[in-house]
Each structure stands twice: as structure tokens, then as C-alpha cells.
Amino acid sequence: MAGLAEAYDAVITEAAMKITRIGSQPTTRPSEEYFTGIVRLDAPFKGTGNARIGGATVTFEPGARTAWHTHPLGQTLLVLSGLGRVQHEGSPIEEVRPGDIVWFEPDEKHWHGAAPDCAMSHVAIAEAQDGRSVDWLEKVTDAEYGG
């Protein structure tokens, strides 16, 4: 049995688990070309090797939002705090709250952001296809945002 335990220990020590500590990466601001208002990106993450997963924690100040966009393999949002808005093309705006999980289908045109009077933070997760995880489109107008 000692051989099995040693083999198990060898596998554990060869594993490449990675812990990214909060505050170990600077907060950044995404391009104004793709966002309206004040938006902060924290703790971006990306898989290694053949992994296609990536994402970040995103905080939108009141009224801030993404431009319309799509994801070739879809996107998941995990709402952490505040009050947000999400919409996919052709549907009404939906409010989202902490604990809500939003799934956008592959190539589904959508946007997301904060409510007019309340900030919102979420974790955004998407997979890359052929090195691309998002296709940015036109900005959401004030009229579209207002519903």
C-alpha cells in the first residue's frame, strides 16, 4: 500500500491548482468602446492549456452597462450584489439580484449592467472558440436602456 500512497502523493504534487488572491491583480477599466458608464474589472481568470474558460468579476456603477454583444459558446453571469438589468434582443429588460444566475445562449445578442440607481456586480464566465469569447456590437442607447 505504501507504493499506492506515494503514487497518489506524486499526482497531487504535480497538479497545477492555482489560487489567485484578492487584490493580487489591479482593478482595470474596460474599453469605453464596449461599455457605457463607470465599470470596473477585477480578478480576471482564464484556463490554461486546452481549457477554454475565462471570465472576471465586473462591477457596474448605477446606469453603467455593456454594449450589445454575443458569445460564440454562450455566457453565464453569477450576480453577486446590487440590482442589475439584462436583456436579450427582442425581449423585455429583466431585473437581476444577488444569487441570480443568467445564461445567454451561444450567439444570443444581449447586454447587461446596473440598474439606474443601484450598482451591480457579477462574475461573467464564457468559453473561447478559436481564441474568441466575445463579439462586440453597437452600444445600448439610453432609450433601449430605459426600456
Side-chain angles (χ1 to χ4, degrees):
M1 282 297 208
L4 181 59
E6 290 168 2
Y8 180 77
D9 288 342
V11 169
I12 295 301
T13 57
E14 290 175 11
M17 181 176 78
K18 179 180 178 185
I19 298 173
T20 304
R21 300 285 181 209
I22 190 72
S24 67
Q25 301 175 67
T27 297
T28 62
R29 298 218 180 207
S31 171
E32 291 181 13
E33 185 176 355
Y34 308 125
F35 293 83
T36 298
I38 298 171
V39 180
R40 297 185 311 274
L41 293 175
D42 285 293
F45 59 90
K46 185 176 182 182
T48 59
N50 292 327
R52 302 184 303 184
I53 197 80
T57 301
V58 186
T59 300
F60 299 84
E61 290 300 317
R65 57 200 179 262
T66 67
W68 287 100
H69 61 285
T70 63
H71 300 274
L73 297 175
Q75 182 183 43
T76 300
L77 304 178
L78 308 172
V79 182
L80 301 174
S81 64
L83 181 63
R85 290 182 166 189
V86 298
Q87 182 180 32
H88 70 95
E89 187 174 47
S91 72
I93 293 170
E94 298 282 344
E95 283 193 345
V96 291
R97 300 174 184 280
D100 288 351
I101 300 170
V102 181
W103 165 250
F104 295 106
E105 292 288 335
D107 297 317
E108 181 175 29
K109 185 177 178 180
H110 68 279
W111 65 268
H112 37 98
D117 298 319
C118 186
M120 185 270 291
S121 292
H122 65 49
V123 175
I125 304 166
E127 290 184 277
Q129 184 175 51
D130 300 322
R132 188 181 95 257
S133 62
V134 63
D135 291 309
W136 292 105
L137 306 167
E138 71 276 8
K139 283 195 167 189
V140 173
T141 66
D142 290 343
E144 288 171 321
Y145 175 77

